[in-house]
Amino acid sequence: MPKDMTETTVFDRRESDARSYCRGMPAMFSTARGSELIDADGRRWIDFLAGCSSLNYGHNDPDMKAALIDHIASDGIAHGLDLHTDAKAAFLTAFEEHILVPREMDHRVMFTGPTGANAVEAAMKIARKVTGRTNIIAFTNGFHGVTAGALAATGNGYHRGGAGMALTGVTRMPYDGYFESQTDTADFLEVMLNDKSGGIDAPAAIILETVQGEGGLNAARPEWVQRIAKLAKDHGALLIIDDIQAGCGRCGTFFSFENMGVTPDIVTMAKSLSGFGLPMAMLLVRPEHDIFGPAEHNGTFRGNTHAFVTARVAIEKFWADDAFQNELGKKSNLILDKLADLAVMVQGAKIKGRGLMQGVDVGSGDLASRICARAYETGLVIETSGSEDQVIKVLAPLTTPEETLRDGFDILLKSAGDVLASETRIAAE
Ligand SMILES: *Cc1c(COP(=O)(O)O)cnc(C)c1O
């Protein structure tokens, strides 16, 4: 490769200051396979970020790649608006057969523009149209995207600050465990909704993540989610579960809410939906709420046929039987064991999350960031999460072999050891 191709100054010179992940991980990444990222000089990193859970099946899955190459080589349609294409039919059929029917879900599938935020926008609009109401209840530390409608439902103050306009139509309520006391925040919501002078406008929807991916890996208890679902029903609101990050196997089952005894009215999906890291988003909506007219929520890129091809392979390869899901159970136990080893190193640290989206709250964003920076220097890509970036978050591809998981944790634990030892040294000086 010519020298100038590994030269990263062009990013400083020309790329907007809005860039983010590359600042802490400035390598020139060039290839990737499975759970490994490789830079232009051949340096390798184990990937515990997986494109923020957009690469749950790892980088360049060989079967998805082969299907995509075949599709392109035979002049398969690349962009299809929302025309009928054989690739879309094959995806929908696989999704119906292996995901919806076995879970007795009668939902329809609506393709939106290819980002998660777009699916959330559509979900919020449907709920408002169905109910004729404006207000949507969202929770502390929820993240639902950064376009204006979705941003109103997002808690993060930094992101909200970028809106440049009033973010309206959402009432924020405390998520499960927010007060760390005995207070059940579902009681709190119930009392407020039932009080005619509680000041909350009748909600069109309640939107939640079962595990808050960006908001610090807070995991709602199934009982809490059930109570919120019932409150939504009792108050004539739709329940929207944003499964953009927690879904596609991340919590150990295809949907994060599968074993919680709730049926959401709307489910938003994106990130790992295409399986290959290609942009693709959609929502699932109960038939009675599927009320948008033709093109009422449109978008040019609702037919990323390449994504349909890889998404179909992902469903058929990983979700046609229980084998993959059974593996996920074993892997989440391993992750939990290793995180326990990390947690004992830091006083007051807490394990957060569920399934394969777990991490450790080390109590300080500065400490978490330094541990992740040290991990990057020594061969592991990993990020923080939470309002203060205080949670070290493990989002390894679900397909990561056990041995690679162990290698990644060796780096992480060693990095934490290095950072903590240097702190002790500094304190002693
Ligand atoms: C990432 C994410 C979104 C937004 O998806 P984009 O593709 O970044 O717009 C929405 N909700 C959740 C839970 C997410 O993790």
Side-chain angles (χ1 to χ4, degrees):
M1 187 169 294
K3 184 69 192 139
D4 62 349
M5 290 302 286
T6 63
E7 181 55 64
T8 57
T9 55
V10 66
F11 302 114
D12 296 333
R13 196 166 66 241
R14 283 290 169 180
E15 193 182 359
S16 159
D17 277 343
R19 65 196 190 281
S20 63
Y21 295 102
C22 56
R23 294 171 186 272
M25 307 176 188
M28 180 81 93
F29 292 105
S30 147
T31 55
R33 226 164 275 114
S35 300
E36 233 182 18
L37 281 158
I38 301 149
D39 80 356
D41 296 325
R43 267 196 78 192
R44 309 172 98 81
W45 283 262
I46 293 172
D47 187 0
F48 273 16
L49 179 57
C52 292
S53 201
S54 302
L55 292 158
N56 282 3
Y57 313 104
H59 295 267
N60 287 308
D61 174 90
D63 298 307
M64 296 181 208
K65 183 168 75 173
L68 182 57
I69 289 172
D70 271 359
H71 179 84
I72 294 172
S74 58
D75 285 335
I77 291 192
H79 167 87
L81 292 170
D82 69 357
L83 295 169
H84 292 158
T85 58
D86 49 4
K88 180 156 76 173
F91 165 73
L92 276 172
T93 307
F95 196 79
E96 177 178 53
E97 181 182 343
H98 299 303
I99 303 294
L100 296 177
V101 169
R103 291 164 184 76
E104 295 179 8
M105 291 171 70
D106 62 357
H107 296 67
R108 294 229 177 123
V109 178
M110 174 180 161
F111 297 105
T112 65
T115 64
N118 201 301
V120 171
E121 294 285 342
M124 292 171 76
K125 281 169 64 177
I126 289 176
R128 287 173 172 142
K129 184 169 181 187
V130 165
T131 59
R133 302 172 178 176
T134 304
N135 190 32
I136 288 178
I137 291 174
F139 293 95
T140 48
N141 288 300
F143 182 84
H144 301 289
V146 298
T147 54
L151 187 54
T154 291
N156 183 291
Y158 176 68
H159 289 126
R160 294 173 65 81
M165 58 185 254
L167 296 169
T168 58
V170 169
T171 301
R172 190 103 25 219
M173 294 303 282
Y175 192 71
D176 192 22
Y178 188 65
F179 296 120
E180 287 186 14
S181 63
Q182 295 303 310
T183 312
D184 187 328
T185 63
D187 288 338
F188 186 96
L189 179 58
E190 180 171 12
V191 171
M192 290 195 70
L193 281 173
N194 287 337
D195 182 352
K196 289 194 177 59
S197 298
I200 301 180
D201 293 335
I206 305 181
I207 183 168
L208 63 92
E209 300 158 87
T210 63
V211 180
Q212 297 184 315
E214 299 302 302
L217 297 180
N218 309 306
R221 291 165 301 134
E223 311 86 85
W224 185 86
V225 177
Q226 270 168 32
R227 287 199 58 201
I228 299 297
K230 178 152 191 313
L231 281 174
K233 195 161 198 275
D234 291 350
H235 288 269
L238 271 53
L239 176 67
I240 304 172
I241 294 194
D242 181 348
D243 234 14
I244 289 172
Q245 186 161 161
C248 294
R250 192 40 76 182
C251 291
T253 48
F254 185 79
F255 295 112
S256 71
F257 53 83
E258 256 171 58
N259 299 322
M260 294 188 170
V262 297
T263 305
D265 296 294
I266 301 180
V267 182
T268 53
M269 308 199 70
K271 289 206 166 85
S272 275
L273 183 58
S274 80
F276 202 68
L278 297 170
M280 174 176 177
M282 67 189 196
L283 52 82
L284 309 178
V285 54
R286 298 298 297 274
E288 63 270 34
H289 303 317
D290 182 29
I291 57 152
F292 272 148
E296 192 174 344
H297 185 89
N298 68 7
T300 309
F301 290 109
R302 289 172 296 141
N304 182 353
T305 307
H306 291 173
F308 294 148
V309 170
T310 55
R312 190 237 337 133
V313 177
I315 298 300
E316 289 175 348
K317 176 169 176 176
F318 294 102
W319 300 102
D321 61 40
D322 290 340
F324 180 64
Q325 182 169 312
N326 294 340
E327 282 296 307
L328 297 183
K330 289 184 215 148
K331 280 181 195 168
S332 41
N333 291 337
L334 172 65
I335 291 171
L336 185 57
D337 281 354
K338 293 291 178 182
L339 288 175
D341 293 343
L342 175 59
V344 295
M345 297 169 74
V346 182
Q347 203 181 2
K350 284 193 293 276
I351 296 179
K352 307 285 301 278
R354 180 176 290 137
L356 289 97
M357 60 187 300
Q358 297 192 79
V360 175
D361 180 339
V362 296
S364 134
D366 179 57
L367 179 59
S369 301
R370 279 187 296 135
I371 292 172
C372 291
R374 180 70 189 148
Y376 168 76
E377 283 165 23
T378 52
L380 177 71
V381 165
I382 185 164
E383 261 294 344
T384 59
S385 161
S387 54
E388 310 284 337
D389 298 325
Q390 73 281 24
V391 179
I392 298 172
K393 168 162 96 162
V394 175
L395 285 180
L398 311 182
T399 50
T400 308
E402 193 181 311
E403 202 185 314
T404 312
L405 270 182
R406 289 183 188 280
D407 290 347
F409 275 107
D410 286 348
I411 298 175
L412 182 59
L413 289 164
K414 172 95 177 35
S415 303
D418 291 351
V419 168
L420 293 166
S422 78
E423 270 195 349
T424 317
R425 258 200 317 278
I426 292 163
E429 274 165 21

